[in-house]
Structure formats: C-alpha cells, structure tokens
Amino acid sequence: MLDQSFLHIPGIGPATELRLWRRGILYWDDFLACRDKLPGFSPHRQALMADHVSESKRCLQARDFHYFARALPTREAWRAWPHFRDKAAYLDIETTGMGPWAEVTMVGLYDGRRVRTYIHGDNLDQLPEDLQQFALLITFNGSTFDLPFLRRRFRGLALPQIHVDLRYALARLGYRGGLKSIETRLGVQRSKRTAGLDGWDAVRLWNEYLSGSGQSLELLIEYNTEDIVNLEALMDVAYDALRHQTWAAVTAP
C-alpha cells in the first residue's frame, strides 16, 4: 500500500492521512485528481503536497528505494514490502555474544529463492558488496542487534535500503517476545535438529566448529537458514494483518 501512503509527505501525520482516506482519497492519483478542491488545506499547502505526490509516483515507477528509505517513517516501512519484494533480503546474523566485544561469526541472506551464508574466516568480507543489490532489508530486532553489529564489523558500511524490523511490526499486532516464541504462536515450524536452539546455542556451535567440529558448523548454518527463511513467512503475516488493521481504522466510526 505504498501508493496509498501520504505519511512520507512533509507535514502529513497519521491523523491527516486518515482524514484523506476517509474522504475517499485512497491513492496518489485520487489526490492529484482533486487538488485545489480539498477543504481544510490551503492552496499553497495543496500545491506542495501535489509536488511530493508527483515525486513519489515518479520514484516508485523508477523503483527508487532510496527515496522511500529516507522519507517513509520507520514505523511504516512495512508498506513498501509488496512493491520491492522481488528485491528484498531477509537477514540474520550470529555472533560470539551480545557485548561490544562480540564478533560476527555468520550472516545469512535469503531473497525468497536462494540462501547465501557468509562465514567469518571464509567469505564474510563479500557481504557488503552483495548487500548492495537489495532494496529492502527484513530482520527481527535488526535495528538494535544485526545492523549495529554489521556497521561495527564493516566500517563505513552503507545500508541505504528500506528496513523492516519485524520485532516492532509484529509487536503492533500483539506478538511480543523472541523470534522463536512468535514463530510457535503463528504455527511456523522448525526442523527437529534445530528445534529448541537459541542464540547461546549458536555461540556454542561456533566454538565447537573452531575446535574442529564440521558437524557443528553444519547445524549452525541450518539454524541460521531457518531464521531467515522463516522471516518471509512472518513478513507475509505482518503485512496482511497491518494492512487490515490500517483499513479498519478508516471505516471505524
């Protein structure tokens, strides 16, 4: 519903966007068709809004995700998902712990078709280059964990993508807690080999791999892969539910 959004336009907040929708202005083209005829908006303000709406149309047609990454409120980044789904990456990292001393051991990327695994000491340094092909990043708690760790690991790392953090998107729907508990509530299954594993098990598996256990590395890769593949299923749930929640507010008395 990116082409139905007005929140990214300067001076428009949730209340004004809701007011536009309730007047039947549901799409950008609806706004452009009735510009200069909106009660409660000065001609000057309507002209500025129309300029931004026209720019939004141009950028969406050009698939300029940079524009929406800058302008769209972080809380509403989920709205961009259908428009950039074909250029989305589901991302999850593993580390040696939680503190500032911890190091990134593994990063998983999933684009809906292919899983890529980046391993410290092997191909991890390829990650920054590969990330540049994506328009949208989807994480769980990436705002406070994954992305800060990556920026610390790769100095000067550019992450210009639209970012959807499912931890906060799902919390708006009443799903709080860790990724595994939310998966369970939503019926998302894990394999028998990885069921019950958590972040501390990931640290243990990495240390076992450093001690020579190839099987531990294989299990860690499987665990990380399920993290990122399951994010797509959760994104499906979050988008449909948030869209329903948004439009329910439009029709509410």
Side-chain angles (χ1 to χ4, degrees):
M1 52 179 291
L2 190 56
D3 56 347
Q4 297 178 276
S5 298
F6 297 92
L7 276 176
H8 64 292
I9 296 174
I12 294 185
T16 301
E17 181 182 64
L18 184 60
R19 183 153 53 106
L20 290 171
W21 286 339
R22 285 178 170 173
R23 287 179 175 174
I25 302 171
L26 302 178
Y27 292 89
W28 294 336
D29 284 339
D30 295 334
F31 181 88
L32 295 175
C34 68
R35 60 170 297 183
D36 302 326
K37 302 175 184 176
L38 286 174
F41 297 90
S42 70
H44 176 69
R45 186 181 182 190
Q46 289 185 56
L48 291 176
M49 290 165 63
D51 287 343
H52 283 287
V53 168
S54 297
E55 178 70 359
S56 299
K57 286 189 61 177
R58 185 192 68 78
C59 289
L60 185 55
Q61 185 174 10
R63 294 177 60 78
D64 180 2
F65 66 89
H66 298 88
Y67 171 81
F68 296 102
R70 292 190 302 267
L72 194 64
T74 301
R75 175 180 167 88
E76 304 300 331
W78 61 272
R79 298 186 185 189
W81 181 62
H83 304 273
F84 294 100
R85 183 174 186 172
D86 62 329
K87 298 288 287 183
Y90 306 87
L91 179 148
D92 184 71
I93 73 170
E94 310 300 341
T95 68
T96 57
M98 299 290 290
W101 47 267
E103 296 182 353
V104 176
T105 59
M106 182 180 294
V107 179
L109 283 183
Y110 175 58
D111 64 4
R113 298 169 296 278
R114 172 189 173 194
V115 171
R116 311 178 199 195
T117 303
Y118 302 84
I119 302 171
H120 177 69
D122 182 11
N123 62 341
L124 184 59
D125 289 339
Q126 180 64 32
L127 176 67
E129 179 180 344
D130 289 353
L131 278 173
Q132 301 315 304
Q133 65 188 278
F134 298 107
L136 180 66
L137 293 181
I138 298 169
T139 68
F140 187 92
N141 200 33
S143 301
T144 58
F145 186 73
D146 302 74
L147 301 192
F149 262 95
L150 290 179
R151 289 190 176 99
R152 190 160 64 238
R153 170 60 175 80
F154 300 104
R155 298 296 181 184
L157 176 65
L159 292 171
Q161 296 90 352
I162 304 166
H163 176 214
V164 179
D165 189 331
L166 283 172
R167 174 187 172 187
Y168 300 102
L170 290 167
R172 291 173 61 179
L173 300 167
Y175 297 103
R176 293 178 173 82
L179 176 61
K180 312 304 182 297
S181 64
I182 292 175
E183 287 176 352
T184 299
R185 289 181 62 189
L186 292 174
V188 177
Q189 300 295 318
R190 294 218 166 213
S191 69
K192 291 181 179 179
R193 277 167 49 87
T194 65
L197 296 181
D198 59 19
W200 292 113
D201 288 303
V203 175
R204 172 182 58 80
L205 291 170
W206 178 256
N207 289 331
E208 291 174 0
Y209 159 65
L210 293 181
S211 298
S213 173
Q215 290 183 338
S216 292
L217 180 62
E218 290 176 4
L219 184 56
L220 180 57
I221 292 173
E222 184 177 342
Y223 169 78
N224 179 263
T225 296
E226 289 187 353
D227 276 351
I228 53 178
V229 170
N230 288 352
L231 287 179
E232 184 178 30
L234 296 183
M235 186 67 235
D236 266 320
V237 170
Y239 178 80
D240 288 344
L242 286 170
R243 189 173 189 276
H244 176 78
Q245 184 184 81
T246 299
W247 292 117
V250 176
T251 58

